[in-house]
Amino acid sequence: MATSQKLEEHFLTCTICTEVFDNPCTLVCYHTFCRKCVVNYTKTKPEAISAKSLLCPFCSKMTKVSEPDRPVEEWADDVKPSFVIQGLLDSFGPGSKDTTSCTCCHAEGEASLASVWCSVCDESLCDRCARMHKRFPSSRHHDLIDLSGEVNIARKRKVMCTEHKDECVQFLCKDCKKVTCHTCCIIYHRKCESVVTLESELPALKSKLLNEKENLRQKQILIEKKVDTVKSNVITEKDRYVQMESKIKSSGRKARETITLKENKLLVELKEISERHIEQLNADIKSGEISVQMYRQQAELIDQTLQSECDMDVYEMYQGCDAGDVEDVGHTDLKEKGRIARITFRQDSDKLSRAVDDLQLGEIDVLYDGVLDLAATPVLRDTISVTVAGDQSDARPLDVTALVIHDTHTVVTTDHNNMSVKSFYTRDNQSCHSKLSLDSQPWGLTKLQHNQVAVTVKNKTIITVEVNPDLVLLSTITTNKQYYGITSLTPSTLAAGSRSPPCVDILDMTGNVLRSVSPLCNGTKILKNPCFLCTTRTGNILVSDYGSQRVLCLTPEGDVVFTYPRQDTQHRCILWASQVPTQVTFWLLCALRIMWFI
């Protein structure tokens, strides 16, 4: 009882009315309320009414109603509670049966201990009532469960009809895929051929649920493996990012070291030249000071001579000055060759700016899933020889595709000469292959689903093959023409290339031609021999036409998006299969080259 009370208080109580859930519903945000409470709350919110949605009072997230034309009071009728909430209510809620007292005696105002439980009537019975229960023909064969103590037995939830409120849902109309009450069967499902009781259908439903549970378990295991792989990738990528960071820092350090070396070289050169220049200037100063001193002494000597009374002294001084006995020593030094006149620092700011801009420490390239990296350099990852044991001729692979089957990378190719389809994969670090022999030569190949491919065969058929990654023939589609190239447009339509007449046919999955595409240019058909086809990301058809030796991009309606080379050029770009060695490598590269045009 304590457990039941705690569950009611913490998990089975509506936060709006603070009572135990009454007819609960769980919104898309996984918050659960009483249907009546959430409807009444929604009525107070005009934005929810205009949005035709139930508004969660806890997180304000809206839940779209399935039938917004119904009255607001009925909007929550089709919103079911979560399995967990309903299970707790059935086991511990107010609806769970108290098996300690007899239900029949309690209804008569008496109190007696229950000794058995009738699972059909959903009632607890004392010994006396149990004996009466066995006497009635209608309840004589009901299963009675012996009660040996206080037991809480979950009540079978009775789902009432939304239209006939007093009737339980008991029947299933397989034609309409609806559960109904007895009255609805009479009124609305009289003409339906398969109306059964819900109870009779339970074994089949439970079997399907078990299968679905197993599928979910397999998906869970697959996702767990992917999560483990991603976790491993996180560790690997972190290590790679640390290495990349180290490389970037190393490149920056080398660039700074180079700049520092050039800076130091300029500073040393400046220091040497500037010291030499200063020495020259200091020498000039010293020479000038000596000259000034000599001029002063000469002037003083002339003054003394002029004051002399001896005429001969004046004449001798005159002769000395006229002969140039006093030389200008500093003047001679100033005319010395190779002297530094001026030092300047010339800097080309634009050139420096360009050099900094052109400085390449490296680039960070980001490749996104599903986006073709046109700038990437192709790297040879592996080479697969398509010749296997049992081949009667040299292998001639004409088309190829790659799939991932249960985390196993698989290459599928058509071998024209050996009339077979082959798959190649690696399992337990061992190279494996599978070979599906055909009655005629295969040509084109296209991926249908994640593990199915379609193959054109020379005997006017298209076969579908399941890749597990071993090959299993699923179906054979007979066509009116022999097709070569093939590609999947949608899950229900294919595009296939025909030589006679040269065109691209749009087919359904039974081989019926929905329409033919044969574009014209100046009144002349462009297509000559459409050998290989593929579908672009935008849904257009890329055609490799051997007859015109061009690549064409067509819409499914037949409009020409582009041709390469153009119609006005004479270049040729298509290679024929006989020029190709019997290895898949070339064809993978061919596929990359074709994708470049997309």
Side-chain angles (χ1 to χ4, degrees), residues 416-483:
H416 183 268
N417 287 355
N418 291 288
M419 295 191 300
S420 61
V421 180
K422 300 175 180 177
S423 66
F424 301 88
Y425 56 95
T426 300
R427 178 177 291 167
D428 297 330
N429 296 324
Q430 297 292 326
S431 297
C432 305
H433 72 272
S434 175
K435 179 179 178 181
L436 178 64
S437 298
L438 306 175
D439 296 332
S440 187
Q441 291 91 347
W443 190 279
L445 175 71
T446 186
K447 178 181 176 182
L448 295 179
Q449 300 178 9
H450 73 282
N451 67 331
Q452 292 183 13
V453 296
V455 181
T456 57
V457 187
K458 197 172 182 180
N459 57 2
K460 294 185 179 181
T461 59
I462 297 175
I463 63 171
T464 59
V465 180
E466 186 176 56
V467 185
N468 287 322
D470 292 330
L471 303 177
V472 178
L473 179 65
L474 292 179
S475 64
T476 300
I477 304 170
T478 303
T479 59
N480 294 325
K481 299 178 184 178
Q482 179 181 338
Y483 292 110

Side-chain angles (χ1 to χ4, degrees), residues 150 164 309 378 565:
E150 184 179 352
H164 307 96
E309 296 296 336

Side-chain angles (χ1 to χ4, degrees), residues 10-26:
H10 297 287
F11 299 101
L12 303 179
T13 300
C14 175
T15 56
I16 299 177
C17 65
T18 66
E19 299 291 340
V20 177
F21 287 130
D22 178 20
N23 203 6
C25 64
T26 302

Side-chain angles (χ1 to χ4, degrees), residues 488-506:
S488 175
L489 296 179
T490 68
S492 59
T493 57
L494 301 169
S498 169
R499 294 182 184 174
S500 179
C503 64
V504 173
D505 287 344
I506 310 300

Side-chain angles (χ1 to χ4, degrees), residues 43-329:
K43 286 181 179 179
T44 64
K45 302 296 180 181
E47 66 274 14
I49 298 297
S50 60
K52 304 293 184 182
S53 302
L54 296 172
L55 183 64
C56 176
F58 189 77
C59 66
S60 300
K61 193 168 184 178
M62 293 190 181
T63 300
K64 287 287 185 181
V65 297
S66 58
E67 298 181 23
D69 295 334
R70 296 165 61 182
V72 179
E73 291 76 9
E74 300 179 6
W75 279 7
D77 289 353
D78 295 333
V79 183
K80 306 298 182 184
S82 69
F83 292 111
V84 175
I85 295 295
Q86 189 60 57
L88 291 174
L89 280 173
D90 291 342
S91 300
F92 302 100
S96 60
K97 292 291 183 178
D98 180 13
T99 59
T100 59
S101 301
C102 176
T103 306
C104 297
C105 294
H106 180 74
E108 297 295 330
E110 301 177 3
S112 58
L113 291 175
S115 60
V116 294
W117 171 270
C118 179
S119 60
V120 179
C121 299
D122 199 24
E123 301 286 351
S124 56
L125 305 171
C126 63
D127 291 336
R128 180 170 59 89
C129 293
R131 288 193 297 269
M132 296 296 296
H133 192 74
K134 291 181 180 179
R135 291 177 184 176
F136 291 105
S138 59
S139 59
R140 182 175 299 163
H141 302 291
H142 288 185
D143 292 331
L144 299 179
I145 301 173
D146 183 37
L147 300 176
S148 58
E150 184 179 352
V151 178
N152 277 332
I153 298 179
R155 176 189 62 179
K156 291 184 178 179
R157 185 164 61 100
K158 295 181 180 180
V159 180
M160 310 307 292
C161 178
T162 56
E163 184 173 349
H164 307 96
K165 306 294 184 181
D166 57 342
E167 293 194 34
C168 295
V169 173
Q170 297 177 333
F171 299 93
L172 170 65
C173 178
K174 292 185 176 181
D175 298 338
C176 303
K177 296 183 179 179
K178 289 185 178 180
V179 289
T180 65
C181 67
H182 185 269
T183 304
C184 287
C185 285
I186 297 173
I187 298 175
Y188 303 113
H189 301 276
R190 287 180 298 173
K191 297 182 179 181
C192 296
E193 296 180 356
S194 182
V195 179
V196 298
T197 62
L198 191 57
E199 185 178 2
S200 66
E201 197 66 17
L202 282 180
L205 294 176
K206 289 181 178 180
S207 176
K208 291 180 181 178
L209 286 176
L210 288 175
N211 292 335
E212 181 63 23
K213 177 184 175 182
E214 180 62 23
N215 291 336
L216 291 175
R217 193 182 69 84
Q218 294 296 333
K219 290 180 180 179
Q220 174 189 343
I221 294 174
L222 181 61
I223 295 299
E224 287 175 349
K225 289 182 179 179
K226 290 184 177 180
V227 169
D228 292 339
T229 302
V230 173
K231 288 181 179 179
S232 176
N233 289 342
V234 167
I235 298 175
T236 303
E237 291 302 309
K238 284 184 177 180
D239 293 339
R240 286 184 59 249
Y241 296 152
V242 170
Q243 295 176 3
M244 291 167 62
E245 182 180 355
S246 176
K247 289 181 180 179
I248 293 173
K249 290 181 178 180
S250 176
S251 300
R253 185 168 56 253
K254 289 180 180 178
R256 289 191 294 272
E257 289 174 355
T258 302
I259 294 174
T260 302
L261 287 174
K262 291 187 176 183
E263 175 189 358
N264 292 337
K265 182 179 179 181
L266 284 174
L267 291 175
V268 169
E269 184 180 356
L270 175 63
K271 182 179 180 181
E272 292 176 353
I273 297 177
S274 62
E275 288 178 351
R276 179 182 167 193
H277 188 205
I278 296 301
E279 287 178 359
Q280 290 180 354
L281 293 177
N282 288 332
D284 292 343
I285 292 172
K286 186 68 175 176
S287 177
E289 290 176 348
I290 294 174
S291 296
V292 170
Q293 182 67 25
M294 292 179 64
Y295 291 148
R296 184 182 295 113
Q297 291 176 357
Q298 185 179 6
E300 290 177 353
L301 185 59
I302 291 174
D303 286 339
Q304 292 176 3
T305 301
L306 291 175
Q307 295 175 3
S308 175
E309 296 296 336
C310 180
D311 295 337
M312 193 61 189
D313 291 340
V314 174
Y315 179 73
E316 287 177 354
M317 176 59 67
Y318 169 75
Q319 282 184 330
C321 290
D322 188 47
D325 291 340
V326 181
E327 296 292 340
D328 186 358
V329 178

Side-chain angles (χ1 to χ4, degrees), residues 327-360:
E327 296 292 340
D328 186 358
V329 178
H331 180 70
T332 303
D333 293 338
L334 290 174
K335 292 183 179 180
E336 179 185 352
K337 292 183 179 181
R339 286 177 52 81
I340 299 173
R342 186 184 180 190
I343 300 174
T344 60
F345 176 61
R346 185 179 68 256
Q347 185 182 51
D348 190 338
S349 300
D350 293 337
K351 186 176 180 180
L352 177 61
S353 178
R354 288 194 300 270
V356 173
D357 292 339
D358 294 339
L359 179 63
Q360 290 294 329

